[in-house]
Amino acid sequence: SDDMFVRIATQIGFSFEHWALHESETFKDITFVLADAQLYKNVTWVVGDAGCGKTTAAIDYRKKHRNVFYILCSVGAPTDGTNLRDMLEYAISMIAFLNNPLLIFDEGDKLTDSVFNYFISIYNRLEGHSGIVFFSTDYIKRRMENGLRYNKKGYKEINSRIGRRFFDLTATTRNDIFAICRANGLTDETEIKKVLKDAEASENDLRRVKRFVHSRKRRIDELKRKGEAE
């Protein structure tokens, strides 16, 4: 059915809506980290503001490379009676036999402590066999500091496995937003200035930028249709 095709498309990262990607410094940083982790079996925790393009870059990388697995951590554990430990065991056993696999955990700061500690098991089983990259906002830094300060279970191990540091992404710039507008067909200087002004008020959130670009393009199309009708 059409509904099933739409759901499959969503799961594999396909979009029916055309949106041109701009390879900003943030995008390039993320691509570098993912490629480095996959090739050299590294473990990295990437930190960036909400809306800076982490998820978009990760999904784009997954589309273009083999044996890359994207896990959205905010989805939560299965509720159909499936045993999470059994699922984890099965997944690890399969991934360990692949050539240069890469695990991407998006929104890793939203994992509960009990699930968070599964990472230790994943790392121990896949060390030297798979790259692992976490994405999150800088909230994870405070969480890690508190976990270490109060000696919470697993935090020392996790901190050690990510190299005791986080990879901080470059902030989105006005030039990036300008390039995004141009790449997506918004070329009028006055309209681009409106997007830049709105972006500045929303901390350069690229989700907001995308919505605003679409709204300005729709407005332009409406004015053109009215002009043609008259």
Side-chain angles (χ1 to χ4, degrees), residues 26-131:
T26 299
F27 187 95
K28 292 175 182 177
D29 285 346
I30 293 172
T31 302
F32 169 79
V33 169
L34 294 174
D36 182 72
Q38 185 171 21
L39 181 61
Y40 296 105
K41 318 297 188 301
N42 289 333
V43 178
T44 305
W45 196 303
V46 177
V47 171
D49 292 337
C52 73
K54 299 186 297 295
T55 299
T56 299
I59 291 176
D60 182 73
Y61 185 89
R62 183 190 64 176
K63 289 179 183 177
K64 297 175 180 177
H65 297 80
R66 294 175 58 84
N67 299 333
V68 178
F69 302 88
Y70 173 85
I71 302 98
L72 183 59
C73 298
S74 61
V75 170
T79 57
D80 59 357
T82 305
N83 186 291
L84 184 60
R85 189 174 294 277
D86 290 343
M87 285 179 60
L88 180 63
E89 182 67 28
Y90 176 75
I92 290 175
S93 64
M94 296 297 292
I95 291 170
F97 285 100
L98 297 176
N99 181 38
N100 285 346
L102 174 66
L103 300 180
I104 302 172
F105 294 93
D106 199 1
E107 300 187 12
D109 54 338
K110 294 183 179 179
L111 291 173
T112 63
D113 280 352
S114 58
V115 179
F116 197 45
N117 285 321
Y118 274 117
F119 166 61
I120 299 173
S121 299
I122 294 173
Y123 177 91
N124 290 341
R125 293 285 301 278
L126 295 179
E127 184 179 10
H129 296 285
S130 174

Side-chain angles (χ1 to χ4, degrees), residues 19 206-216 218:
W19 179 256
L206 295 185
R207 293 187 181 94
R208 172 66 186 175
V209 170
K210 182 176 181 179
R211 292 180 185 177
F212 202 72
V213 167
H214 282 315
S215 70
R216 298 317 304 169
R218 287 197 300 269

Side-chain angles (χ1 to χ4, degrees), residues 214-226:
H214 282 315
S215 70
R216 298 317 304 169
K217 289 175 67 177
R218 287 197 300 269
R219 179 60 178 163
I220 292 171
D221 290 340
E222 289 173 5
L223 293 174
K224 284 182 179 178
R225 285 195 295 270
K226 287 181 180 179

Side-chain angles (χ1 to χ4, degrees), residues 111-170:
L111 291 173
T112 63
D113 280 352
S114 58
V115 179
F116 197 45
N117 285 321
Y118 274 117
F119 166 61
I120 299 173
S121 299
I122 294 173
Y123 177 91
N124 290 341
R125 293 285 301 278
L126 295 179
E127 184 179 10
H129 296 285
S130 174
I132 301 174
V133 177
F134 283 86
F135 288 104
S136 75
T137 63
D138 61 3
Y139 168 72
I140 189 60
K141 293 183 177 181
R142 296 197 303 274
R143 183 174 170 184
M144 182 65 74
E145 288 174 2
N146 290 333
L148 295 173
R149 181 181 298 114
Y150 296 107
N151 198 26
K152 296 180 70 173
K153 180 182 177 181
Y155 276 78
K156 286 184 179 179
E157 291 87 345
I158 293 169
N159 192 41
S160 173
R161 284 158 175 76
I162 64 172
R164 301 180 185 273
R165 66 181 295 271
F166 295 95
F167 185 99
D168 292 296
L169 293 172
T170 305

